[in-house]
Amino acid sequence: MNDRPDEEAAAQATLLAQKGVDIRVAVVGNGCKPEAVPPGALTVCLPKNIGIPGGRNAGAHALRNANEPADWLYFLDNDATFPRPDVLARLVAEAGQHPEAAWVQPRLTGPDDTTTPRRWVPRLRASDPGRAGRVTSMTEGVVLIRRDAFDTVGGWESRMFLYHEGTDLAWRLYEAGWSGWYAASIRMHHPLTTPARHALYHRLAARNRIWIAHRNLPTPLLPLYLSVWTAITLARALRGGGLGETLRGMHEGWTTRRTQPRRPMSWRTVYRLTATGRPPII
């Protein structure tokens, strides 16, 4: 959106410095014409801001249509950076060791290369961010995804606009027979910001929780999931603010849930998610 020129320059510079991989770049302007575009990169100019997942889809589609599709997609938010020139090559190598994984997730840290907030660890047991393993969620803005898996499940759900689209995509990939892998020894950098810095955070996060449940969960799990997350969300809102917008988002999610296509996951997928350490009610 041309609102982070310094961060965008750093993200692109560290991307272009990657070694050991053949990189094809697409820069997506969400409701604008991108001002910073590396030589040879594709430029996608969306006439309006369609949200982060929709923008990611637009970039993936442009790369697929422009030439022979690559085997991998790496989604890079414009405020993240590669701390070393071998990050992408190491992620692809890690994926080769875990052919069952549709996505490989690096460890996200602050610029100090050490600090990893709990919300950035893609599992429930987040006390040790340096422990690698199979995961059921993803940090969307710095993730490597197999192109064939991504295309098979239809990519990101663009109607979510922002927040929790990674949970939705991860569940659909699990339903398709894949899993996810957390490569904790491979780092990416990001400013130590909070999601609440975005004005839409409280409303969209609450709305999208209801949407992803309606889209993906078997009927018996819906009240369990929504009860757990309603309690957690309200507790966070009371403690950290945003209660009014949170309640507004819950109301919006409930009243519009039927606008979302419902494709409940199988009980086998429920079991696989649970066995991986995150039953789909938490």
Side-chain angles (χ1 to χ4, degrees):
M1 297 176 65
N2 295 326
D3 56 350
R4 298 170 177 164
D6 295 338
E7 292 89 341
E8 178 77 33
Q12 292 187 15
T14 58
L15 169 62
L16 297 177
Q18 294 299 295
K19 306 296 184 183
V21 287
D22 178 22
I23 298 174
R24 305 168 189 169
V25 179
V27 181
V28 180
N30 225 336
C32 67
K33 180 179 180 180
E35 295 174 354
V37 180
L42 291 175
T43 303
V44 180
C45 303
L46 300 175
K48 65 178 182 178
N49 182 0
I50 62 173
I52 289 179
R56 294 192 189 112
N57 282 341
H61 295 336
L63 287 168
R64 181 182 58 204
N65 295 334
N67 46 37
E68 178 103 13
D71 294 331
W72 303 96
L73 291 164
Y74 191 81
F75 294 96
L76 177 67
D77 281 0
N78 65 358
D79 52 357
T81 55
F82 296 88
R84 297 168 184 83
D86 63 348
V87 171
L88 284 180
R90 291 177 64 197
L91 286 172
V92 172
E94 191 87 7
Q97 298 178 32
H98 301 281
E100 77 288 349
W103 76 94
V104 179
Q105 184 71 67
R107 174 181 171 183
L108 193 60
T109 77
D112 62 1
D113 203 46
T114 301
T115 304
T116 299
R118 293 178 66 89
R119 66 182 179 278
W120 288 353
V121 182
R123 60 168 177 264
L124 288 178
R125 297 171 60 190
S127 58
D128 180 10
R131 179 170 59 88
R134 193 171 294 174
V135 290
T136 66
S137 63
M138 64 177 70
T139 306
E140 301 94 333
V142 287
V143 63
L144 182 79
I145 305 180
R146 296 180 190 272
R147 163 65 87 167
D148 58 345
F150 180 84
D151 288 345
T152 296
V153 301
W156 306 94
E157 176 45 60
S158 60
R159 283 169 289 191
M160 290 187 174
F161 194 85
L162 180 62
Y163 302 119
H164 304 321
E165 69 272 13
T167 298
D168 177 78
L169 179 57
W171 283 357
R172 287 186 283 120
L173 288 167
Y174 261 82
E175 176 68 7
W178 298 92
S179 63
W181 185 259
Y182 177 47
S185 64
I186 305 173
R187 288 173 168 80
M188 285 290 295
H189 288 178
H190 189 280
L192 292 169
T193 53
T194 67
R197 71 190 186 279
H198 297 296
L200 296 173
Y201 168 68
H202 295 288
R203 179 174 66 85
L204 294 188
R207 181 197 71 181
N208 289 354
R209 281 291 180 194
I210 295 173
W211 278 8
I212 64 173
H214 178 79
R215 288 168 55 84
N216 296 286
L217 292 183
T219 299
L221 293 186
L222 282 170
L224 289 172
Y225 181 89
L226 293 176
S227 295
V228 168
W229 277 110
T230 295
I232 291 173
T233 301
L234 290 176
R236 288 174 176 170
L238 287 169
R239 184 174 63 248
L243 179 59
E245 285 298 295
T246 295
L247 293 173
R248 180 184 171 197
M250 288 180 172
H251 179 265
E252 181 181 347
W254 185 255
T255 57
T256 62
R257 68 192 187 282
R258 299 191 188 281
T259 65
Q260 299 297 302
R262 180 157 168 74
R263 300 184 182 93
M265 67 179 65
S266 67
W267 288 106
R268 180 177 181 274
T269 299
V270 172
Y271 170 78
R272 292 180 63 226
L273 291 168
T274 304
T276 304
R278 191 170 193 138
I281 58 171
I282 302 176

